[in-house]
Amino acid sequence: MTVEGPAWTASGLRTGAGKYPMAVEQHVMALAARLVPGVTTVTPHARYYALHTLAAAEAEERELDRRQAQDLLRRMEVALAAVSFVHHDGKDTSLGRAHGTDALAGRLRSRTLSMPEAAVAGKGGYVQASWGFSGAYFGSELILGLLNEKRGPGPACDVQVLRSGMGELVDIARRDEIVLSDLADYGHLCMCSAAGAPDGRWLARLLAGSDSRTPDREQTQARKDTIQLIARIIDTHPVAHLTRDVGDVLAFGDFLVQDEETTRNPVAAVWRGLVLRNHTVGAWRRLWAWLVDEVAGLTHISDVASAFADRLPPGPLSSFLDSLPGNTLPSGQPADAERQLWNGYDAPDRDLAILAVGARRVDELTGDSLDVFAGRRDQELTPAWFAALLADARSTSARDFAVRLTKILIARSERVALAKARRRADGTLWFPARLRVLEDGWLYRVGEEGRGDVNMRLDRLGNVLAGAGVLAWEDGVCTVTTLGRELLA
């Protein structure tokens, strides 16, 4: 995969209200979207791709109007949740919980289920949205060619295959009353049963790039390269958690440059830069959340800065930086310094250390990994920018640097919030910030900031691939199935 131009450099995408106060996450999210098209953070289940496509095909064949098509889709989603609930005796499936299960829980523990009442959109039903949970999947289903822009069946829709795998779900959905015990005979329609079923194999081929009906071959190739890379790591390493275990192999060590298959994979170096960049993003998010938590009532910025400074050792910043673990292995490949330094969510000194380790990588990485990782030196909070900031401050004390960095982050948060601010219809100003800055350096907090890592979609991709039969879990360890090997060969 070519890594050049704006496609792989720091993104200027705008984010949702108050969700990303430091605006450091977009680069990681945009790259993950490019590498895993067709799967997002809100598309966890393989069988819903088939359900939504089959619903569209049925609506088109029956010439249903918009309202009727929506009703059919919602009924099918309720039917899938009910079948899965019964098949697993009220417990989650191996792939998680069907959409709407929580809202349906009371009804699903009864003897019967009224479909018109359960499938209604809005208050009292299983979901608020008129299109059920399909809104979360719609963009991915467009990318894969399952649906078209009008929510009709797309070029990759295979009605015969979908009916073979899930046709009975349509019949269940059309009933007005369901005796839940009768669903015990429909375990083959459960969320966990797509692997090996016709609709599961259909989706597996689309995801793995073995079906030419997907509309964008470049996106298909990026996804296939990513799946091949993940599968190779699963074949050669014990993987119990994709984001953690696969992510560590992608970021650290010699495997990517020594294994014959991964050295030929065009996205391997891109993923290395992305995972390493995400370590710095996580550190920025944790550090900022910690600073915001230090604001209790009306608090002066100097008190927040002092609290951060007190968590650092006395002496020059250079001594702090020189005390950090080494970045590289003897081979020159990245060592797991970030993993060694991480110490939970109440360690601003460790987060600063992780950021410093990342800054050193600007001079160590090469090629696509560097292009993805470093960012621009003139763009705040990128590794390249932070490397320049550290170089300029080496002779100052570590605690003075903490004070300076606190002021930079608070000022940035204010700018980001102002850029997103909007005037409401009633004339009031919507200002998406958890931390408000008053005159003369006074602060007050109106909420907590998120501090979790940015989701790179690896776990979601793994769950969808497992649902489609490409991957499987055996004794808590991920494996590549026979079908997966055939599709990825």
Side-chain angles (χ1 to χ4, degrees):
M1 174 171 288
T2 302
V3 182
E4 60 184 15
W8 297 106
T9 54
S11 169
L13 296 176
R14 302 292 290 276
T15 59
K19 192 174 181 181
Y20 304 114
M22 288 291 101
V24 294
E25 300 86 355
Q26 303 99 313
H27 182 55
V28 169
M29 293 188 298
L31 277 172
R34 288 286 305 277
L35 291 166
V36 193
V39 176
T40 74
T41 59
V42 292
T43 58
H45 301 310
R47 206 139 216 192
Y48 281 85
Y49 289 83
L51 184 156
H52 298 150
T53 310
L54 178 58
E58 291 285 337
E60 182 177 76
E61 181 172 309
R62 298 182 197 180
E63 299 182 347
L64 302 183
D65 62 27
R66 182 182 179 89
R67 184 194 60 76
Q68 292 170 327
Q70 291 170 339
D71 181 63
L72 173 63
L73 183 143
R74 292 197 306 271
R75 282 170 168 257
M76 289 176 65
E77 288 190 338
V78 170
L80 180 58
V83 168
S84 300
F85 186 89
V86 171
H87 188 226
H88 288 269
D89 196 25
K91 302 179 177 65
D92 289 354
T93 74
S94 60
L95 301 170
R97 185 175 304 179
H99 295 307
T101 299
D102 289 343
L104 291 168
R107 292 185 173 99
L108 293 174
R109 291 188 176 93
S110 302
R111 190 183 72 85
T112 61
L113 182 147
S114 169
M115 183 62 79
E117 293 178 1
V120 68
K123 188 176 181 180
Y126 80 109
V127 69
Q128 292 287 322
S130 58
W131 284 105
F133 286 93
S134 71
Y137 288 79
F138 182 54
S140 295
E141 290 160 354
L142 282 174
I143 287 172
L144 292 169
L146 314 187
L147 301 179
N148 60 36
E149 293 283 354
K150 296 182 179 180
R151 292 185 179 268
C157 173
D158 191 324
V159 180
Q160 183 176 353
V161 165
L162 293 172
R163 286 177 177 156
S164 176
M166 299 188 73
E168 292 168 294
L169 194 71
V170 180
D171 298 330
I172 296 172
R174 296 176 70 182
R175 302 176 192 173
D176 282 343
E177 183 174 270
I178 297 173
V179 178
L180 291 170
S181 60
D182 291 348
L183 298 182
D185 296 330
Y186 293 93
H188 57 284
L189 297 177
C190 176
M191 276 205 329
C192 73
S193 301
D199 59 291
R201 292 191 293 271
W202 162 80
L203 181 61
R205 290 193 297 271
L206 291 169
L207 290 169
S210 300
D211 191 320
S212 61
R213 291 174 295 180
T214 50
D216 190 319
R217 299 310 298 171
E218 182 179 351
Q219 289 182 321
T220 299
Q221 189 62 51
R223 184 177 55 253
K224 181 173 185 177
D225 290 338
T226 290
I227 296 173
Q228 286 178 324
L229 179 62
I230 292 171
R232 180 59 179 166
I233 292 172
I234 290 170
D235 274 342
T236 53
H237 297 77
V239 173
H241 186 279
L242 260 72
T243 294
R244 181 194 64 207
D245 299 335
V246 171
D248 281 356
V249 177
L250 291 171
F252 310 120
D254 296 324
F255 181 75
L256 292 192
V257 297
Q258 291 184 348
D259 179 73
E260 184 176 350
E261 288 189 25
T262 60
T263 56
R264 296 196 303 265
N265 193 304
V267 302
V270 177
W271 270 107
R272 168 152 286 180
L274 176 59
V275 179
L276 288 171
R277 177 68 173 265
N278 202 28
H279 279 290
T280 71
V281 169
W284 282 123
R285 285 172 59 81
R286 291 189 299 272
L287 175 56
W288 174 246
W290 184 89
L291 291 171
V292 172
D293 285 349
E294 288 298 303
V295 177
L298 198 60
T299 305
H300 199 270
I301 189 173
S302 61
D303 294 326
V304 177
S306 295
F308 183 18
D310 289 344
R311 300 294 288 265
L312 296 174
L317 178 63
S318 58
S319 297
F320 173 77
L321 299 177
D322 292 342
S323 71
L324 301 180
N327 273 39
T328 59
L329 300 170
S331 62
Q333 295 303 310
D336 64 346
E338 288 88 346
R339 280 284 182 228
Q340 296 177 47
L341 288 166
W342 191 84
N343 194 33
Y345 295 103
D346 188 32
D349 53 330
R350 293 298 188 94
D351 291 324
L352 179 61
I354 290 171
L355 293 168
V357 164
R360 291 197 310 217
R361 296 201 187 281
V362 173
D363 294 325
E364 297 162 350
L365 296 172
T366 59
D368 291 350
S369 295
L370 176 62
D371 291 343
V372 168
F373 174 77
R376 300 203 312 266
R377 184 170 175 169
D378 63 347
Q379 187 171 12
E380 276 187 340
L381 309 194
T382 64
W385 173 87
F386 196 60
L389 190 70
L390 289 175
D392 181 63
R394 280 187 67 88
S395 61
T396 63
S397 76
R399 292 177 174 175
D400 285 347
F401 181 76
V403 172
R404 179 183 178 187
L405 187 58
T406 299
K407 294 177 179 178
I408 289 173
L409 293 180
I410 290 174
R412 178 178 176 82
S413 173
E414 187 80 349
R415 291 197 306 274
V416 171
L418 283 170
K420 298 177 184 177
R422 298 289 184 271
R423 188 170 298 281
R424 297 189 181 98
D426 62 3
T428 59
L429 183 67
W430 173 74
F431 188 74
R434 304 288 190 265
L435 191 67
R436 303 295 171 84
V437 181
L438 306 179
E439 293 182 359
D440 300 323
W442 290 99
L443 312 169
Y444 74 96
R445 174 164 55 96
V446 295
E448 296 183 349
E449 293 288 10
R451 63 193 73 202
D453 291 337
V454 174
N455 192 317
M456 295 182 294
R457 309 188 184 196
L458 291 177
D459 284 323
R460 285 290 187 255
L461 175 62
N463 211 57
V464 171
L465 291 174
V470 176
L471 302 179
W473 295 92
E474 299 177 3
D475 299 324
V477 177
C478 193
T479 61
V480 182
T481 66
T482 301
L483 173 63
R485 296 188 191 286
E486 292 175 357
L487 295 177
L488 298 171

